[in-house]
Amino acid sequence: FLYSLAAESTSGVSFDIDPYDASIFIDGSYIGVVDDFSPYEAPLTLRAGVHRVELRARGFQPMVFDITVVPGQVIPYRGTLAYGR
C-alpha cells in the first residue's frame, strides 16, 4: 500500500497529533510514529483509495478513522488523543 514519492505526485497524509510519539497503523500494518510524518516532514505516502488509520499511544484511547487518499493531495490531520483506556 505504500509507494515511492517518485512514482507519482505526492499523495498521502501528514499528522499533527498529541502525543507526537503515537504509533500509526494503516490498514492494520504498523507504519511508524506521528512525528515521522509531521507537517515539517515528508507526508506518509499512500496509494489512492480508502485506508483505515489507527493511532495508538500508551495511556491514551486509540483513534480509528477512514481516509480517502486522492492523487496529488496531502491530507493534514490535527488533534489530540484522549487520555485513558
Side-chain angles (χ1 to χ4, degrees):
F1 53 86
L2 299 174
Y3 64 89
S4 165
L5 280 174
E8 310 184 8
S9 61
T10 304
S11 300
V13 186
S14 71
F15 295 94
D16 186 3
I17 301 289
D18 185 34
Y20 68 91
D21 61 346
S23 297
I24 303 171
F25 294 82
I26 302 291
D27 301 327
S29 296
Y30 175 77
I31 301 301
V33 297
V34 295
D35 198 45
D36 294 338
F37 307 102
S38 75
Y40 308 105
E41 304 295 334
L44 170 60
T45 55
L46 299 167
R47 276 192 241 170
V50 177
H51 298 278
R52 169 67 45 114
V53 176
E54 185 172 353
L55 304 175
R56 298 183 203 161
R58 185 179 303 272
F60 294 85
Q61 295 179 12
M63 181 185 295
V64 181
F65 54 94
D66 290 332
I67 59 169
T68 301
V69 176
V70 177
Q73 291 186 353
V74 174
I75 303 165
Y77 276 94
R78 209 178 317 170
T80 301
L81 298 182
Y83 285 106
R85 191 106 171 103

